Amino acid sequence: MEIKISDNIKYIGASVYDLDLFESQYIVPNGMAYNSYVILDEKIAIMDTADKIVKSQWLDNLSNALNGRTPDYLVVQHLEPDHSGNIQAVIDMYPEIEIICSTAAKRMLPQFADVNMDKVTAKNEGDTLELGSHTLTFIMAPMVHWPEVMLSYESSEKVLFSADAFGKFGAIDADEGWSCEARRYYFNICGKYGDKVQAVLKKAANLDIQTICPLHGPVLTDTIPEVLRLYNLWSTYQPEDEGVFIAYASIHGNTAEAAHKMKEILEAKGCPRVAIADLSRDDIAECVEDAFRHSTLLCMASSYDAGVFAPMSDFLHHLKSKAFQNRRVALVENGSWAPCAVRAMKAEFEQMKNITLVEKTVTIKTTVKETDITALEELADIIK
Protein backbone atom coordinates (compact mmCIF):
# COMPACT_ATOMS: atom_id res chain seq x y z
CA MET A 1 0.00 0.00 0.00
CA GLU A 2 1.43 3.38 -1.02
CA ILE A 3 1.30 6.00 1.73
CA LYS A 4 1.36 9.50 0.27
CA ILE A 5 2.83 12.24 2.44
CA SER A 6 4.25 14.74 -0.05
CA ASP A 7 6.50 14.94 -3.10
CA ASN A 8 9.56 15.33 -0.90
CA ILE A 9 8.65 13.26 2.16
CA LYS A 10 8.34 9.57 1.41
CA TYR A 11 6.98 6.73 3.52
CA ILE A 12 9.36 3.76 3.53
CA GLY A 13 7.96 1.72 6.42
CA ALA A 14 6.66 -1.83 6.32
CA SER A 15 3.94 -3.83 8.06
CA VAL A 16 3.81 -7.33 9.48
CA TYR A 17 0.44 -9.08 9.29
CA ASP A 18 1.13 -12.36 11.11
CA LEU A 19 2.99 -11.18 14.22
CA ASP A 20 2.11 -13.37 17.20
CA LEU A 21 2.93 -10.74 19.85
CA PHE A 22 4.27 -7.20 19.67
CA GLU A 23 7.09 -6.73 22.21
CA SER A 24 6.43 -10.37 23.15
CA GLN A 25 3.36 -9.35 25.16
CA TYR A 26 0.74 -7.48 23.13
CA ILE A 27 -1.78 -9.25 20.91
CA VAL A 28 -1.96 -7.51 17.52
CA PRO A 29 -4.80 -9.13 15.56
CA ASN A 30 -4.46 -6.61 12.73
CA GLY A 31 -0.68 -6.74 12.49
CA MET A 32 1.87 -4.03 13.22
CA ALA A 33 3.32 -1.13 11.25
CA TYR A 34 6.99 -0.20 11.53
CA ASN A 35 7.12 3.28 10.07
CA SER A 36 10.08 5.10 8.60
CA TYR A 37 10.41 8.09 6.30
CA VAL A 38 12.82 9.85 3.95
CA ILE A 39 13.05 13.59 3.33
CA LEU A 40 14.40 14.34 -0.17
CA ASP A 41 16.06 17.74 -0.60
CA GLU A 42 19.52 19.10 -1.42
CA LYS A 43 20.51 16.81 1.41
CA ILE A 44 18.63 13.64 2.26
CA ALA A 45 17.56 12.53 5.72
CA ILE A 46 16.32 9.07 6.65
CA MET A 47 13.92 9.40 9.57
CA ASP A 48 14.56 6.26 11.67
CA THR A 49 14.94 2.72 10.41
CA ALA A 50 12.65 -0.22 11.30
CA ASP A 51 12.54 -3.60 12.98
CA LYS A 52 14.88 -6.28 11.67
CA ILE A 53 11.86 -8.48 10.94
CA VAL A 54 11.00 -6.15 8.02
CA LYS A 55 14.61 -5.56 6.95
CA SER A 56 14.26 -6.81 3.38
CA GLN A 57 11.10 -4.81 2.64
CA TRP A 58 12.46 -1.74 4.40
CA LEU A 59 15.71 -1.78 2.42
CA ASP A 60 13.76 -2.16 -0.84
CA ASN A 61 11.54 0.78 0.11
CA LEU A 62 14.57 2.87 1.03
CA SER A 63 16.29 2.07 -2.27
CA ASN A 64 13.19 2.93 -4.27
CA ALA A 65 12.77 6.25 -2.49
CA LEU A 66 16.44 7.21 -2.90
CA ASN A 67 16.37 6.33 -6.61
CA GLY A 68 20.15 6.15 -6.83
CA ARG A 69 20.92 9.06 -4.51
CA THR A 70 23.04 8.75 -1.38
CA PRO A 71 21.53 9.79 1.96
CA ASP A 72 23.39 12.39 4.03
CA TYR A 73 21.76 11.85 7.41
CA LEU A 74 20.12 9.16 9.47
CA VAL A 75 17.96 10.81 12.14
CA VAL A 76 17.55 8.43 15.06
CA GLN A 77 14.61 9.56 17.18
CA HIS A 78 14.17 6.35 19.17
CA LEU A 79 16.61 3.48 19.77
CA GLU A 80 14.18 0.74 20.72
CA PRO A 81 15.01 -2.28 18.51
CA ASP A 82 11.75 -2.10 16.54
CA HIS A 83 13.05 1.21 15.13
CA SER A 84 16.82 0.82 15.26
CA GLY A 85 17.00 -2.70 13.86
CA ASN A 86 18.50 -1.58 10.54
CA ILE A 87 20.94 1.13 11.69
CA GLN A 88 23.84 -1.24 11.10
CA ALA A 89 22.61 -2.02 7.58
CA VAL A 90 22.47 1.71 6.77
CA ILE A 91 25.99 2.29 8.14
CA ASP A 92 27.31 -0.66 6.14
CA MET A 93 25.68 0.62 2.94
CA TYR A 94 26.52 4.30 3.47
CA PRO A 95 29.66 4.52 5.65
CA GLU A 96 29.85 8.31 5.29
CA ILE A 97 26.33 8.91 6.55
CA GLU A 98 26.01 11.23 9.56
CA ILE A 99 23.81 10.03 12.41
CA ILE A 100 21.72 12.69 14.14
CA CYS A 101 20.30 11.89 17.55
CA SER A 102 19.83 13.19 21.09
CA THR A 103 22.69 13.37 23.58
CA ALA A 104 21.23 10.42 25.50
CA ALA A 105 20.89 8.41 22.28
CA LYS A 106 24.53 9.09 21.40
CA ARG A 107 25.61 7.50 24.68
CA MET A 108 23.40 4.47 24.06
CA LEU A 109 24.06 4.05 20.32
CA PRO A 110 27.04 1.65 20.62
CA GLN A 111 24.67 -0.87 22.26
CA PHE A 112 22.72 -1.07 19.02
CA ALA A 113 25.28 -0.81 16.23
CA ASP A 114 28.99 -0.70 15.47
CA VAL A 115 29.21 3.05 14.99
CA ASN A 116 32.05 5.43 14.15
CA MET A 117 31.26 7.99 16.84
CA ASP A 118 32.93 10.73 14.78
CA LYS A 119 29.95 10.34 12.46
CA VAL A 120 27.41 10.93 15.25
CA THR A 121 26.08 14.42 16.05
CA ALA A 122 24.03 14.98 19.18
CA LYS A 123 21.27 17.56 19.09
CA ASN A 124 19.65 19.46 21.95
CA GLU A 125 16.27 21.11 22.40
CA GLY A 126 15.60 23.59 19.60
CA ASP A 127 18.62 22.66 17.49
CA THR A 128 18.03 22.48 13.76
CA LEU A 129 19.19 20.57 10.70
CA GLU A 130 19.10 22.30 7.31
CA LEU A 131 18.40 20.04 4.35
CA GLY A 132 17.76 22.74 1.75
CA SER A 133 14.19 23.96 1.57
CA HIS A 134 13.37 21.69 4.51
CA THR A 135 14.48 22.39 8.07
CA LEU A 136 14.17 20.01 11.00
CA THR A 137 13.87 21.37 14.53
CA PHE A 138 14.47 18.87 17.31
CA ILE A 139 12.23 18.48 20.35
CA MET A 140 13.49 16.45 23.28
CA ALA A 141 10.93 13.95 24.59
CA PRO A 142 12.65 11.94 27.33
CA MET A 143 10.63 9.01 28.71
CA VAL A 144 8.08 9.07 25.92
CA HIS A 145 8.75 6.31 26.44
CA TRP A 146 12.56 5.80 26.54
CA PRO A 147 15.05 8.35 27.92
CA GLU A 148 16.73 9.13 24.59
CA VAL A 149 13.62 9.98 22.56
CA MET A 150 13.39 13.12 20.48
CA LEU A 151 10.82 14.37 17.98
CA SER A 152 11.50 16.32 14.79
CA TYR A 153 9.40 19.15 13.33
CA GLU A 154 9.79 20.01 9.66
CA SER A 155 8.68 23.63 9.30
CA SER A 156 8.19 24.05 5.54
CA GLU A 157 5.61 21.27 5.27
CA LYS A 158 4.52 21.49 8.93
CA VAL A 159 5.20 17.82 9.64
CA LEU A 160 5.85 16.40 13.10
CA PHE A 161 7.88 13.19 13.15
CA SER A 162 6.63 11.99 16.52
CA ALA A 163 8.60 8.81 17.35
CA ASP A 164 6.34 6.44 19.33
CA ALA A 165 3.94 9.21 20.34
CA PHE A 166 0.52 9.14 18.61
CA GLY A 167 1.10 5.59 17.43
CA LYS A 168 -1.22 2.58 17.59
CA PHE A 169 -1.30 -1.17 17.17
CA GLY A 170 -2.19 -2.46 13.70
CA ALA A 171 -0.71 -2.61 10.22
CA ILE A 172 -0.50 0.62 8.23
CA ASP A 173 -3.55 -0.39 6.18
CA ALA A 174 -5.61 -1.90 9.01
CA ASP A 175 -9.28 -1.24 8.37
CA GLU A 176 -10.13 0.23 11.76
CA GLY A 177 -10.48 3.55 13.54
CA TRP A 178 -7.58 5.17 15.33
CA SER A 179 -8.76 5.63 18.89
CA CYS A 180 -9.40 2.08 20.12
CA GLU A 181 -6.02 0.56 19.30
CA ALA A 182 -4.27 3.87 19.98
CA ARG A 183 -5.78 3.86 23.48
CA ARG A 184 -4.66 0.29 24.15
CA TYR A 185 -1.20 1.16 22.80
CA TYR A 186 -0.92 4.39 24.82
CA PHE A 187 -1.89 3.07 28.25
CA ASN A 188 0.16 -0.11 27.97
CA ILE A 189 3.29 1.47 26.51
CA CYS A 190 3.31 5.14 27.50
CA GLY A 191 0.76 5.13 30.33
CA LYS A 192 3.30 5.37 33.13
CA TYR A 193 4.76 8.59 31.73
CA GLY A 194 1.80 10.97 31.66
CA ASP A 195 3.79 13.93 32.99
CA LYS A 196 6.41 13.45 30.26
CA VAL A 197 3.69 13.25 27.60
CA GLN A 198 2.20 16.45 28.99
CA ALA A 199 5.56 18.19 28.58
CA VAL A 200 5.68 17.19 24.92
CA LEU A 201 2.08 18.27 24.33
CA LYS A 202 2.92 21.73 25.69
CA LYS A 203 5.77 21.98 23.19
CA ALA A 204 3.55 20.73 20.36
CA ALA A 205 0.95 23.40 21.19
CA ASN A 206 3.38 26.04 19.89
CA LEU A 207 3.72 24.36 16.50
CA ASP A 208 1.56 24.53 13.39
CA ILE A 209 1.19 20.81 12.76
CA GLN A 210 -0.54 19.72 9.57
CA THR A 211 0.76 16.13 9.49
CA ILE A 212 1.95 13.72 12.18
CA CYS A 213 4.26 10.90 11.12
CA PRO A 214 4.49 8.39 14.00
CA LEU A 215 6.65 5.28 14.12
CA HIS A 216 3.57 3.04 14.40
CA GLY A 217 0.09 3.37 12.97
CA PRO A 218 -1.28 5.68 10.29
CA VAL A 219 0.02 9.06 9.19
CA LEU A 220 -2.35 11.59 10.78
CA THR A 221 -3.80 14.69 9.11
CA ASP A 222 -7.48 15.63 9.48
CA THR A 223 -7.88 13.97 12.87
CA ILE A 224 -4.99 15.79 14.60
CA PRO A 225 -7.19 17.99 16.88
CA GLU A 226 -9.03 14.92 18.20
CA VAL A 227 -5.77 12.98 18.60
CA LEU A 228 -4.26 15.81 20.64
CA ARG A 229 -7.44 16.07 22.73
CA LEU A 230 -7.34 12.39 23.60
CA TYR A 231 -3.63 12.44 24.37
CA ASN A 232 -4.19 15.34 26.73
CA LEU A 233 -7.01 13.44 28.44
CA TRP A 234 -5.06 10.20 28.69
CA SER A 235 -1.83 11.79 29.90
CA THR A 236 -3.62 13.66 32.70
CA TYR A 237 -5.21 10.37 33.84
CA GLN A 238 -8.75 11.64 33.41
CA PRO A 239 -11.48 9.12 32.53
CA GLU A 240 -12.60 9.19 28.94
CA ASP A 241 -16.07 7.78 29.70
CA GLU A 242 -18.37 7.97 32.69
CA GLY A 243 -19.22 4.39 33.50
CA VAL A 244 -18.12 1.18 35.18
CA PHE A 245 -15.58 -1.38 34.05
CA ILE A 246 -16.15 -4.75 35.76
CA ALA A 247 -12.97 -6.81 35.91
CA TYR A 248 -13.51 -10.26 37.38
CA ALA A 249 -11.33 -13.24 38.24
CA SER A 250 -13.38 -16.39 38.82
CA ILE A 251 -12.16 -19.90 39.62
CA HIS A 252 -15.27 -22.09 39.32
CA GLY A 253 -17.71 -19.67 37.67
CA ASN A 254 -19.56 -18.31 40.69
CA THR A 255 -17.74 -14.96 40.72
CA ALA A 256 -18.29 -14.76 36.95
CA GLU A 257 -22.02 -15.27 37.53
CA ALA A 258 -22.01 -12.46 40.08
CA ALA A 259 -20.09 -10.17 37.71
CA HIS A 260 -22.54 -10.66 34.85
CA LYS A 261 -25.44 -10.18 37.25
CA MET A 262 -23.85 -6.92 38.38
CA LYS A 263 -23.60 -5.80 34.77
CA GLU A 264 -27.34 -6.40 34.35
CA ILE A 265 -28.10 -4.52 37.57
CA LEU A 266 -25.98 -1.49 36.59
CA GLU A 267 -27.53 -1.32 33.13
CA ALA A 268 -31.02 -1.58 34.59
CA LYS A 269 -30.21 1.29 36.96
CA GLY A 270 -29.17 3.51 34.05
CA CYS A 271 -25.39 3.43 34.32
CA PRO A 272 -24.21 5.31 31.20
CA ARG A 273 -21.67 2.68 30.17
CA VAL A 274 -20.83 -0.78 31.50
CA ALA A 275 -17.96 -2.93 30.22
CA ILE A 276 -16.91 -6.33 31.55
CA ALA A 277 -13.87 -8.59 31.22
CA ASP A 278 -12.80 -12.04 32.34
CA LEU A 279 -9.26 -11.53 33.61
CA SER A 280 -8.50 -15.23 33.21
CA ARG A 281 -9.22 -15.22 29.48
CA ASP A 282 -9.39 -11.72 28.01
CA ASP A 283 -6.45 -9.71 26.68
CA ILE A 284 -4.78 -8.15 29.72
CA ALA A 285 -3.70 -5.11 27.69
CA GLU A 286 -7.31 -4.45 26.72
CA CYS A 287 -8.34 -4.82 30.36
CA VAL A 288 -5.75 -2.20 31.34
CA GLU A 289 -7.11 0.05 28.59
CA ASP A 290 -10.68 -0.32 29.85
CA ALA A 291 -9.67 0.40 33.43
CA PHE A 292 -8.15 3.71 32.35
CA ARG A 293 -11.04 4.49 30.02
CA HIS A 294 -13.83 4.37 32.62
CA SER A 295 -14.48 6.54 35.65
CA THR A 296 -15.17 3.58 37.97
CA LEU A 297 -13.43 0.22 38.25
CA LEU A 298 -15.26 -2.68 39.90
CA CYS A 299 -12.95 -5.56 40.79
CA MET A 300 -14.64 -8.88 41.60
CA ALA A 301 -12.40 -11.77 42.56
CA SER A 302 -12.17 -15.11 44.25
CA SER A 303 -10.06 -15.48 47.36
CA TYR A 304 -7.01 -17.69 46.87
CA ASP A 305 -4.06 -18.79 49.03
CA ALA A 306 -4.80 -16.20 51.72
CA GLY A 307 -4.89 -13.51 49.06
CA VAL A 308 -6.58 -12.92 45.72
CA PHE A 309 -6.87 -15.18 42.66
CA ALA A 310 -3.77 -14.82 40.46
CA PRO A 311 -5.40 -13.26 37.36
CA MET A 312 -6.65 -10.37 39.51
CA SER A 313 -3.26 -10.04 41.19
CA ASP A 314 -1.63 -9.85 37.74
CA PHE A 315 -4.14 -7.24 36.58
CA LEU A 316 -3.51 -5.05 39.64
CA HIS A 317 0.24 -5.36 39.05
CA HIS A 318 -0.25 -4.09 35.50
CA LEU A 319 -2.36 -1.16 36.72
CA LYS A 320 0.18 -0.18 39.35
CA SER A 321 3.07 -0.37 36.88
CA LYS A 322 1.18 1.93 34.48
CA ALA A 323 0.45 4.53 37.21
CA PHE A 324 -3.30 3.90 37.45
CA GLN A 325 -4.84 6.83 39.31
CA ASN A 326 -7.72 9.30 39.65
CA ARG A 327 -10.41 6.62 39.66
CA ARG A 328 -13.16 5.33 41.92
CA VAL A 329 -12.75 1.64 42.79
CA ALA A 330 -15.27 -0.81 44.23
CA LEU A 331 -14.46 -4.32 45.48
CA VAL A 332 -16.35 -7.61 45.62
CA GLU A 333 -14.89 -10.90 46.89
CA ASN A 334 -15.88 -14.53 46.91
CA GLY A 335 -14.62 -17.10 49.41
CA SER A 336 -15.98 -20.41 50.60
CA TRP A 337 -14.24 -20.55 53.96
CA ALA A 338 -11.89 -17.56 54.44
CA PRO A 339 -12.77 -14.57 52.21
CA CYS A 340 -9.65 -12.45 51.84
CA ALA A 341 -9.70 -11.01 48.29
CA VAL A 342 -11.01 -7.59 49.34
CA ARG A 343 -8.21 -7.17 51.85
CA ALA A 344 -5.59 -8.13 49.25
CA MET A 345 -7.05 -5.91 46.52
CA LYS A 346 -7.48 -2.97 48.88
CA ALA A 347 -3.82 -3.19 49.87
CA GLU A 348 -2.81 -2.91 46.22
CA PHE A 349 -5.04 0.07 45.47
CA GLU A 350 -3.86 1.88 48.58
CA GLN A 351 -0.42 2.02 46.94
CA MET A 352 -1.82 3.81 43.89
CA LYS A 353 -2.37 7.55 43.53
CA ASN A 354 -5.70 9.33 44.06
CA ILE A 355 -7.79 6.18 44.23
CA THR A 356 -11.19 6.59 45.91
CA LEU A 357 -12.13 3.25 47.40
CA VAL A 358 -15.87 2.77 47.82
CA GLU A 359 -16.46 2.02 51.48
CA LYS A 360 -19.12 -0.61 50.85
CA THR A 361 -17.77 -4.00 49.77
CA VAL A 362 -19.62 -7.24 49.05
CA THR A 363 -18.63 -10.71 50.21
CA ILE A 364 -20.14 -13.74 48.47
CA LYS A 365 -19.87 -17.19 50.04
CA THR A 366 -19.41 -19.55 47.08
CA THR A 367 -22.74 -19.39 45.17
CA VAL A 368 -24.75 -16.26 44.42
CA LYS A 369 -27.83 -16.03 46.65
CA GLU A 370 -30.69 -13.55 46.86
CA THR A 371 -29.00 -11.77 49.75
CA ASP A 372 -25.92 -11.35 47.54
CA ILE A 373 -28.01 -9.86 44.74
CA THR A 374 -29.49 -7.39 47.20
CA ALA A 375 -25.98 -6.41 48.31
CA LEU A 376 -24.89 -6.01 44.68
CA GLU A 377 -27.90 -3.78 44.01
CA GLU A 378 -26.95 -1.61 46.98
CA LEU A 379 -23.39 -1.33 45.66
CA ALA A 380 -24.74 -0.52 42.18
CA ASP A 381 -26.73 2.39 43.63
CA ILE A 382 -23.43 3.85 44.86
CA ILE A 383 -21.31 3.41 41.71
CA LYS A 384 -23.82 3.65 38.83
Side-chain angles (χ1 to χ4, degrees), residues 61-317:
N61 293 345
L62 173 63
S63 177
N64 290 336
L66 293 175
N67 194 27
R69 296 183 65 185
T70 299
D72 300 277
Y73 303 106
L74 170 59
V75 178
V76 176
Q77 300 185 116
H78 185 20
L79 275 171
E80 198 167 5
D82 54 330
H83 307 299
S84 64
N86 295 300
I87 289 178
Q88 191 64 59
V90 171
I91 293 171
D92 292 343
M93 292 170 62
Y94 306 106
E96 295 305 310
I97 198 167
E98 183 178 351
I99 296 177
I100 306 294
C101 61
S102 68
T103 300
K106 184 174 182 178
R107 290 194 298 267
M108 296 169 64
L109 197 54
Q111 300 176 39
F112 297 86
D114 182 14
V115 183
N116 176 358
M117 298 307 289
D118 291 337
K119 295 290 186 181
V120 181
T121 299
K123 295 291 187 178
N124 296 306
E125 183 75 35
D127 287 351
T128 60
L129 180 67
E130 300 288 344
L131 302 177
S133 62
H134 293 75
T135 300
L136 290 172
T137 301
F138 300 106
I139 301 162
M140 299 302 113
M143 298 316 302
V144 184
H145 59 119
W146 273 28
E148 87 307 349
V149 174
M150 70 178 188
L151 282 51
S152 307
Y153 177 69
E154 200 294 298
S155 53
S156 71
E157 298 199 48
K158 300 178 173 56
V159 177
L160 179 67
F161 296 91
S162 64
D164 269 353
F166 311 116
K168 64 178 283 293
F169 296 124
I172 193 68
D173 55 351
D175 184 16
E176 60 189 9
W178 180 85
S179 62
C180 184
E181 285 294 65
R183 185 189 302 107
R184 186 166 71 100
Y185 174 94
Y186 174 85
F187 283 117
N188 286 279
I189 292 179
C190 301
K192 183 177 180 178
Y193 308 109
D195 59 337
K196 306 301 182 184
V197 174
Q198 276 289 297
V200 169
L201 290 175
K202 287 180 173 62
K203 296 175 184 179
N206 298 318
L207 303 174
D208 181 5
I209 302 171
Q210 299 299 314
T211 304
I212 295 177
C213 292
L215 290 179
H216 296 296
V219 173
L220 303 170
T221 52
D222 296 344
T223 60
I224 290 174
E226 175 64 4
V227 167
L228 293 175
R229 183 190 73 82
L230 287 172
Y231 252 66
N232 185 61
L233 194 70
W234 297 341
S235 59
T236 52
Y237 301 99
Q238 301 305 310
E240 188 177 340
D241 289 307
E242 288 295 321
V244 178
F245 172 51
I246 304 171
Y248 71 87
S250 182
I251 301 173
H252 297 294
N254 293 307
T255 306
E257 179 186 344
H260 285 280
K261 183 61 180 178
M262 188 60 163
K263 182 175 185 291
E264 293 177 9
I265 292 169
L266 284 166
E267 289 173 338
K269 289 180 178 292
C271 185
R273 178 182 170 89
V274 185
I276 191 168
D278 178 355
L279 297 176
S280 297
R281 295 170 176 81
D282 292 334
D283 173 23
I284 192 67
E286 189 166 342
C287 295
V288 169
E289 171 202 346
D290 273 328
F292 275 98
R293 179 173 184 169
H294 295 84
S295 57
T296 299
L297 170 63
L298 171 57
C299 290
M300 305 179 66
S302 302
S303 301
Y304 194 82
D305 284 347
V308 66
F309 189 36
M312 178 62 74
S313 180
D314 184 46
F315 174 59
L316 299 183
H317 169 75

Side-chain angles (χ1 to χ4, degrees), residues 297 299 312 315-316 319 324 329-331 344-353 355 357:
L297 170 63
C299 290
M312 178 62 74
F315 174 59
L316 299 183
L319 291 184
F324 186 69
V329 174
L331 304 173
M345 292 187 288
K346 183 179 179 182
E348 292 296 319
F349 282 112
E350 286 175 341
Q351 298 177 51
M352 301 182 206
K353 187 177 179 182
I355 297 297
L357 283 165

